[in-house]
Amino acid sequence: MAAALACAAQSGISTAEPVVRPGIDVLLSDSMALVDGRRVGLVTNQTGIDSRGVSDVERLRAAGVNLVALYSPEHGFRGSAEPGASVASTTDSATGLPIYSLYGRTASPTDSMLRGVDVMLVDLQDAGARYYTYIATATEVMRAAVRRHMPVIILDRPNPIGGAMAGNVLDTAYRSFVGRLPVPMRHGLTMGEMARFANDEMEIGADLQVVPVAGWQRDEYYDETGLPFVKPSPNLPTLESLIHYPGTCLFEGTNLSVGRGSDHPFEQIGAPWLDAGRVLAQVRMAAPRGVTFDSVQFTPHAPGDGKYGDTLLAGIRLHVTDRAAYDPVQTAVLLLATIRDVSPEFKISAPHFDRLAGTSALRLGLESGLGATQLTSGWLQERKAFRERVGKYLIY
């Protein structure tokens, strides 16, 4: 054993136990009774890895878990499909296991997909923003499990952008696959906590258990955990993009690009007609905290960008300078209001924008000329009420 440790040290491989351990590590070290002797289905993708970067599939099979089926969310099992693209079910070439797509012909596991499964594991890295569809997939799995009288186990992961909250709380009249729960735009919860909240809020009634992350503190960002970073989807390639995403995603409901198909998706916005200089002159006067801006040009490549693919755009690039001070949603609303004021070409796509905003009030306020402060009036109180409501579901 000493020789093996010496070789590992010489090779640069860490032999120390990671400080932060995701749910898959905790399951295999402390909670194997949950899966022993059971036929297991696993909902996961490229983010389902342990603290050393080894896939859940490999770890579970090596531990003797009877893994019988795999299920994938939006972007597919490998995480490479374009946003919104229908993904077909297939077979995993490495294991021969079926991979049933839950973002194709159906969003919910059918009875035939669940045949021969005794328990469902869910291990998906959330992005920390309400718009992200993985929690919607998890709730569909929970509903199907109730129908089949089987338990669901969430293998939890850190919220990559910590526990801060921002934006409004979704009005359930606007519930959709990109807004399944009445949570803030930046919700501050983990996948396990959201599943616990959803199980009660949506009256699902699943036999739900959460295997928690060990060693994670709610105020920690992903780069403070020591865990390997895997982009949760093609257009969220960095932690910086994840931090901006709760705000810049709102531009998906407008005629501006969010940089999909560029080097900095969700870190920049742009359009051929944008007068970035005029916009930035006003935005800098408002001096939003924790962020700076650059006037840039970028070309988002098709098919990643569905608005201006392969077109040179005038753009604005955002840079986080102080994570604790930065409010990505407030900043995005300021940009929206300013662009509206200086660009007659600016347009909002009402149905999609309202789905993302979780209300029609933000769109109507923008259309009526309200400023950023007026547009977000009352959001702080919404978040305070939400914090009280969600407290009993928190784990960390």
Side-chain angles (χ1 to χ4, degrees):
M1 177 64 75
L5 291 174
C7 289
Q10 292 170 7
S11 68
I13 300 172
S14 174
T15 57
E17 186 69 20
V19 175
V20 176
R21 296 186 300 139
I24 180 63
D25 284 0
V26 177
L27 174 80
L28 294 175
S29 63
D30 304 342
S31 305
M32 281 291 285
L34 295 174
V35 293
D36 276 344
R38 291 177 164 182
R39 296 167 296 181
V40 175
L42 173 64
V43 186
T44 195
N45 58 8
Q46 79 287 352
T47 65
I49 57 173
D50 70 6
S51 56
R52 301 182 191 277
V54 181
S55 77
D56 287 8
V57 174
E58 185 175 340
R59 288 295 314 275
L60 290 166
R61 284 165 61 86
V65 174
N66 185 16
L67 192 59
V68 298
L70 304 172
Y71 307 81
S72 65
E74 184 179 8
H75 307 296
F77 187 69
R78 308 296 175 193
S80 57
E82 290 296 328
S86 178
V87 178
S89 296
T90 185
T91 301
D92 181 29
S93 59
T95 63
L97 294 173
I99 304 175
Y100 296 112
S101 172
L102 302 181
Y103 203 85
R105 291 185 176 181
T106 179
S108 179
T110 64
D111 286 345
S112 62
M113 291 177 178
L114 296 173
R115 190 171 295 120
V117 177
D118 299 320
V119 59
M120 292 291 283
L121 300 184
V122 179
D123 190 357
L124 297 168
Q125 177 61 66
D126 186 67
R130 185 177 71 211
Y131 329 108
Y132 217 58
T133 62
Y134 291 174
I135 185 58
T137 296
T139 60
E140 291 298 323
V141 170
M142 290 159 61
R143 288 190 188 282
V146 169
R147 190 177 68 244
R148 301 282 294 187
H149 306 289
M150 70 171 66
V152 175
I153 301 168
I154 305 290
L155 303 180
D156 214 4
R157 294 190 168 272
N159 184 315
I161 56 176
M165 296 179 183
N168 68 345
V169 174
L170 176 135
D171 178 345
T172 55
Y174 292 85
R175 198 191 300 269
S176 72
F177 213 72
V178 293
R180 181 53 60 95
L181 298 177
V183 300
M185 294 167 175
R186 179 178 179 177
H187 53 67
L189 308 178
T190 68
M191 179 67 80
E193 291 170 335
M194 284 193 293
R196 282 160 55 91
F197 178 57
N199 203 29
D200 280 2
E201 166 67 27
M202 300 175 68
E203 299 182 344
I204 297 173
D207 178 1
L208 176 68
Q209 297 185 67
V210 177
V211 178
V213 185
W216 181 67
Q217 304 296 317
R218 185 173 294 281
D219 61 350
E220 289 181 326
Y221 284 70
Y222 205 86
D223 58 1
E224 299 172 297
T225 66
L227 296 174
F229 180 84
V230 176
K231 59 183 180 182
S233 54
N235 288 289
L236 290 172
T238 64
L239 184 59
E240 176 93 359
S241 63
L242 286 166
I243 295 171
H244 293 298
Y245 179 63
T248 53
C249 189
L250 287 170
F251 283 89
E252 294 269 47
T254 73
N255 60 340
L256 282 91
S257 167
V258 294
R260 292 183 186 273
S262 76
D263 291 339
H264 299 284
F266 292 102
E267 298 175 37
Q268 56 192 7
I269 56 170
W273 43 262
L274 182 67
D275 188 338
R278 285 187 66 197
V279 172
L280 288 181
Q282 293 195 29
V283 168
R284 286 169 176 153
M285 287 178 62
R289 300 171 59 210
V291 63
T292 60
F293 308 89
D294 287 332
S295 177
V296 297
Q297 292 184 317
F298 64 93
T299 301
H301 299 294
D305 185 272
K307 297 174 182 175
Y308 303 111
D310 301 322
T311 301
L312 181 65
L313 306 183
I316 295 170
R317 173 92 182 274
L318 291 78
H319 305 271
V320 177
T321 58
D322 184 342
R323 291 175 178 176
Y326 177 48
D327 184 326
V329 182
Q330 191 75 28
T331 300
V333 172
L334 173 62
L335 284 166
L336 285 163
T338 306
I339 294 169
R340 173 206 60 198
D341 290 343
V342 304
S343 303
E345 303 90 342
F346 174 68
K347 292 182 176 60
I348 295 175
S349 175
H352 189 42
F353 188 89
D354 292 353
R355 280 193 295 270
L356 293 170
T359 178
S360 62
L362 180 57
R363 172 181 56 84
L364 294 172
L366 283 165
E367 291 173 346
S368 67
L370 295 182
T373 300
Q374 294 169 296
L375 289 165
T376 59
S377 175
W379 286 8
L380 179 59
Q381 291 304 314
E382 287 184 25
R383 294 196 300 272
K384 285 181 177 179
F386 172 75
R387 283 182 185 275
E388 294 180 4
R389 181 181 182 186
V390 81
K392 63 182 178 180
Y393 303 107
L394 301 185
I395 301 172
Y396 311 95

